[in-house]
């Protein structure tokens, strides 16, 4: 369909082409919203119109049959409209209460053959919402951990908190599979970050053939990469040298040069950060802080990671005051008490000196190693 005022036909249609009629009619004129029950929101517009939203948990990787079923439900109740949230939840919107109740009951009644919910209703308010996460081993080139695997295991362990609102405040958990963090982990209540702990390996046979060596040199933020000549199969070839004590294992050089793979089954793993948020409610937005420096990758069920995250959530839930986000609670009681209550070990890897001048601190330098 031609798009008025658009200078290109590349990319998705303008977002408001997809609005349900009721949303289009009241765009920019919403007065307030309430959470009626876990997973059900009601937005009220200046016109008096009401929109009821039923939110269900979704998986990041979905089969075609699963998506078709979602579309069939949207056709049946919502005029064919549905939306995905950034946390991989799916939202159905209707404009009367009776339809909302029928839709909610229908969604809750659909189960997988083993009896688990296909479309669990929840993810609102003071709950553990679905996890936002990145691509993982299959889809990206620099991951230090998987995404879908650990996310599935952690959410399985926290699922009872998805469809209740009995946490002190919202708990937002995120996972980024490397420190590039394309998953907003740096400002989540609990952030899981894949970390490498070894420098890239150098494939001298392919470095000159697969890579623009100057690009790999320029990609390194710590100037650890330099061009060199090495002996390979009896000849001198152009290649790369890495000054290992400067390397902070970020993987940027591998992004530029496939002859510098960094994934390593022993070196790679996950760090846990806590206490971040983007909300302005009660206190300013905060960055998360590292509280566990390293947990090994343990596919397929990541037991150590899952147990540690569940434990942090349980200690927070038992000790924080109502409305207190995890970081606000830790700051009120003091981080020392946070480590005492959770039983997590405090090591020098966790020293937070980020506020010191202009990044030139011990933790922000290449002297800092996991
Ligand atoms: Fe790729 Fe890193 Fe993003 Fe994971 S976090 S998808 S490895 S850039
Ligand atoms: Fe430089 Fe990062 Fe590559 Fe290490 S991993 S050599 S710090 S670009």
């Amino acid at each position: 369909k031609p798009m008025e005022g658009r200078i290109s036909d590349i990319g998705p249609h303008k977002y408001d082409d997809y609005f349900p009629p009721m949303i289009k009619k009241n765009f920019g004129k919403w007065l307030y919203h309430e959470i009626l029950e876990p997973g059900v929101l009601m937005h009220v517009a200046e016109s008096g119109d009401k929109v009821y939203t039923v939110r269900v948990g979704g998986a990041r990787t979905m089969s075609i049959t699963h998506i078709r079923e979602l579309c069939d439900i949207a056709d049946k109740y919502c005029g064919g409209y549905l939306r995905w949230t950034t946390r991989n939840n799916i939202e159905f919107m209707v404009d009367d209460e009776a339809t909302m109740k029928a839709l909610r009951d229908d969604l809750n009644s659909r189960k997988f053959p083993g009896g688990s919910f296909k479309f669990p209703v929840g993810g609102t308010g003071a709950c553990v919402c679905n996890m936002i996460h990145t691509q993982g081993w299959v889809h990206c080139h620099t991951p230090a951990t998987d995404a879908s695997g650990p996310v599935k295991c952690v959410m399985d362990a926290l699922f009872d908190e998805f469809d209740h609102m009995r946490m002190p405040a919202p708990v937002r958990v995120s996972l980024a599979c490397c420190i590039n963090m394309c998953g907003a982990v740096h400002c989540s209540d609990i952030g899981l970050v894949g970390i490498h702990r070894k420098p890239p390996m150098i494939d001298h046979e392919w470095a000159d053939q697969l890579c623009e060596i100057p690009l790999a040199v320029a990609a390194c933020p710590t100037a650890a990469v330099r061009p060199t000549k090495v002996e390979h199969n009896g000849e001198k070839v152009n290649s790369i040298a890495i000054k290992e004590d400067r390397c902070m294992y970020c993987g940027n050089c591998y992004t530029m040069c496939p002859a510098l793979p960094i994934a390593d089954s022993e070196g790679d793993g996950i760090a846990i950060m806590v206490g971040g948020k983007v909300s302005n409610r009660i206190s300013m937005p905060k960055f998360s802080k590292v509280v566990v420096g390293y947990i090994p990758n343990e596919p397929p069920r990541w037991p150590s990671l899952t147990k540690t995250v569940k434990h942090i959530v349980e200690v927070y839930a038992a000790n924080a005051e109502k409305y207190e986000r995890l970081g606000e609670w830790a700051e009120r009681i003091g981080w020392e008490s946070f480590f005492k209550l959770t039983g997590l070990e405090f090591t020098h890897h966790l020293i937070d000196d980020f506020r010191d001048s202009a990044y030139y601190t011990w933790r922000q330098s290449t002297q800092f190693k996991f």
Side-chain angles (χ1 to χ4, degrees):
K1 155 179 149 186
M3 285 173 286
E4 207 182 316
R6 302 282 277 180
I7 54 171
S8 158
D9 60 355
I10 298 171
H13 288 205
K14 190 155 173 274
Y15 62 93
D16 55 5
D17 282 353
Y18 298 101
F19 280 168
M22 180 71 96
I23 301 294
K24 198 164 226 168
K25 178 182 162 204
N26 294 293
F27 185 63
K29 295 178 191 153
W30 298 100
L31 281 181
Y32 66 93
H33 76 274
E34 287 172 18
I35 302 172
L36 301 181
E37 58 187 86
V40 180
L41 300 134
M42 179 184 71
H43 286 79
V44 180
E46 285 169 6
S47 62
D49 288 344
K50 290 179 180 166
V51 167
Y52 298 87
T53 302
V54 183
R55 180 180 296 170
V56 300
R60 247 304 264 289
T61 309
M62 289 184 181
S63 67
I64 297 288
T65 38
H66 196 72
I67 294 170
R68 284 209 171 115
E69 189 169 342
L70 286 164
C71 295
D72 289 343
I73 298 167
D75 281 341
K76 185 169 171 191
Y77 295 98
C78 318
Y81 291 91
L82 79 168
R83 66 186 289 272
W84 260 257
T85 72
T86 49
R87 288 195 169 267
N88 310 312
N89 294 311
I90 300 121
E91 290 186 347
F92 299 90
M93 290 182 213
V94 297
D95 49 28
D96 74 279
E97 196 168 357
T99 312
M100 176 275 285
K101 286 183 176 162
L103 166 65
R104 176 202 60 196
D105 295 345
D106 186 351
L107 289 163
N108 274 331
S109 71
R110 295 180 190 235
K111 304 266 171 76
F112 285 114
S116 55
F117 287 106
K118 240 184 201 178
F119 304 112
V121 176
T124 50
C127 72
V128 178
C129 195
N130 212 352
M131 281 172 71
I132 194 165
H133 65 91
T134 53
Q135 311 303 324
W137 280 330
V138 177
H139 297 290
C140 194
H141 55 294
T142 53
T145 187
D146 196 13
S148 309
V151 165
K152 163 84 173 118
C153 299
V154 168
M155 275 315 290
D156 278 354
L158 299 176
F159 179 72
D160 283 349
E161 299 306 331
F162 177 78
D163 56 358
H164 291 88
M165 298 194 297
R166 57 193 174 196
M167 287 279 124
V171 178
R172 301 293 177 252
V173 189
S174 313
L175 180 142
C177 39
C178 86
I179 58 172
N180 287 323
M181 285 196 197
C182 55
V185 159
H186 52 288
C187 48
S188 299
D189 295 284
I190 300 183
L192 315 177
V193 192
I195 50 164
H196 300 288
R197 297 185 304 159
K198 293 186 182 179
M201 295 155 266
I202 306 168
D203 187 337
H204 293 299
E205 181 174 355
W206 292 101
D208 194 27
Q209 300 183 55
L210 289 178
C211 316
E212 295 283 356
I213 290 175
L215 284 184
V217 172
C220 179
T222 61
V225 180
R226 65 179 168 82
T228 191
K229 283 198 184 287
V230 295
E231 190 84 18
H232 184 72
N233 288 342
E235 331 172 15
K236 282 258 179 209
V237 293
N238 291 324
S239 189
I240 284 164
I242 292 178
K243 204 165 182 344
E244 295 196 357
D245 56 358
R246 284 191 167 210
C247 177
M248 62 176 187
Y249 327 131
C250 66
N252 279 357
C253 53
Y254 180 51
T255 303
M256 287 295 150
C257 175
L260 296 174
I262 192 167
D264 181 278
S265 59
E266 282 174 11
D268 296 353
I270 299 176
I272 300 182
M273 306 173 75
V274 307
K277 66 179 187 114
V278 287
S279 156
N280 265 308
R281 187 179 174 191
I282 300 178
S283 66
M284 298 256 291
K286 302 175 199 304
F287 284 122
S288 319
K289 299 173 194 308
V290 181
V291 295
V292 178
Y294 176 75
I295 291 181
N297 282 321
E298 296 168 324
R301 294 298 303 175
W302 273 269
S304 307
L305 173 75
T306 302
K307 194 170 150 209
T308 311
V309 173
K310 190 161 197 279
H311 177 64
I312 294 171
V313 170
E314 284 170 354
V315 176
Y316 158 68
N319 290 281
E321 288 175 2
K322 197 165 167 55
Y323 302 125
E324 220 170 27
R325 296 286 287 256
L326 204 156
E328 291 165 336
W329 164 63
E331 281 178 9
R332 176 175 60 79
I333 61 171
W335 284 95
E336 196 177 356
S337 300
F338 169 87
F339 281 95
K340 266 193 202 137
L341 282 172
T342 55
L344 297 175
E345 189 189 358
F346 186 85
T347 72
H348 66 277
H349 300 106
L350 312 179
I351 293 171
D352 179 7
D353 53 4
F354 188 79
R355 283 173 226 82
D356 286 3
S357 55
Y359 291 66
Y360 295 117
T361 66
W362 180 65
R363 198 174 78 100
Q364 302 300 316
S365 79
T366 53
Q367 313 309 309
F368 176 76
K369 305 286 183 194
F370 274 102

